Amino acid sequence: MDLILWRHAEAELASGDITDEFRKLTSKGLKQASKMAYWLDSTLPDTCKILVSPAIRTRDTAEALATCGRKFKICPELGTAATVQDVLLAANWPHSREPVLIIGHQPYLGQVVGELLGHPLHDYPVRKANVWWISQKQRDAEEMQTYLKAIMTPDLVVR
């Protein structure tokens, strides 16, 4: 199984008028999301399932991928207060027959990375707009191997 974790792009700061759930992407964030969507669309299999936090900034990030013709599903269980278990259940890790892309938040994305790579007490710093791609393959008849397949940042995408 492949689990792809995409942290939302840069968003405006929360203020008295704008609460955390309603923060939108900044102009820089829109550019970051567009670059990563371009890379993801060229890399993801057509069968990839895309699950998104209900927060506005994650939905805005997902919309960049939707402009490439990709459909996504908003999952309340992937909100800002999600846990590692919430993410793994939503993705059906490690049993999904298709790759799953989660568009979500820190700290839980970094905690998922830690859990899957064997460091459950370590929060990996998944930066804004970055993608972490984790794969699991059958190593031999009895052992599954989980490994980090790729980390991608919008700065490395050439359009």
Side-chain angles (χ1 to χ4, degrees):
M1 177 182 175
D2 285 344
L3 179 61
I4 303 99
L5 306 171
W6 186 12
R7 184 175 176 195
H8 64 80
E10 183 182 271
E12 60 192 6
L13 298 175
S15 67
D17 297 336
I18 304 168
T19 60
D20 188 49
E21 290 292 317
F22 294 98
R23 294 168 45 213
K24 296 178 183 178
L25 295 185
T26 62
S27 60
K28 178 181 178 181
L30 291 168
K31 290 175 191 169
Q32 291 171 330
S34 177
K35 283 183 170 186
M36 289 310 299
Y38 173 80
W39 180 79
L40 283 165
D41 187 53
S42 68
T43 308
L44 291 172
D46 292 338
T47 60
C48 187
K49 185 177 181 179
I50 302 169
L51 306 175
V52 181
S53 159
I56 298 297
R57 61 192 179 275
T58 50
R59 291 166 39 188
D60 287 349
T61 300
E63 283 296 332
L65 199 50
T67 63
C68 301
R70 301 278 183 156
K71 292 183 168 52
F72 62 88
K73 179 182 176 189
I74 296 170
C75 294
E77 59 268 33
L78 296 176
T80 57
T83 66
V84 169
Q85 286 311 112
D86 294 332
V87 174
L88 297 179
L89 283 171
N92 194 25
W93 176 271
H95 307 292
S96 179
R97 294 180 181 258
E98 59 208 3
V100 177
L101 168 63
I102 302 284
I103 304 175
H105 309 274
Q106 276 294 90
Y108 71 70
L109 292 178
Q111 293 165 350
V112 169
V113 171
E115 180 72 26
L116 297 183
L117 297 182
H119 304 106
L121 300 177
H122 184 77
D123 294 352
Y124 282 80
V126 178
R127 297 184 59 155
K128 291 177 183 159
N130 285 6
V131 169
W132 288 53
W133 194 311
I134 299 171
S135 285
Q136 187 177 64
K137 299 224 178 193
Q138 189 80 35
R139 187 169 187 196
D140 56 39
E142 298 165 10
E143 185 181 354
M144 294 296 285
Q145 180 180 31
T146 302
Y147 62 96
L148 181 60
K149 187 173 185 176
I151 300 174
M152 190 61 173
T153 176
D155 297 336
L156 295 177
V157 177
V158 179
R159 284 187 78 175

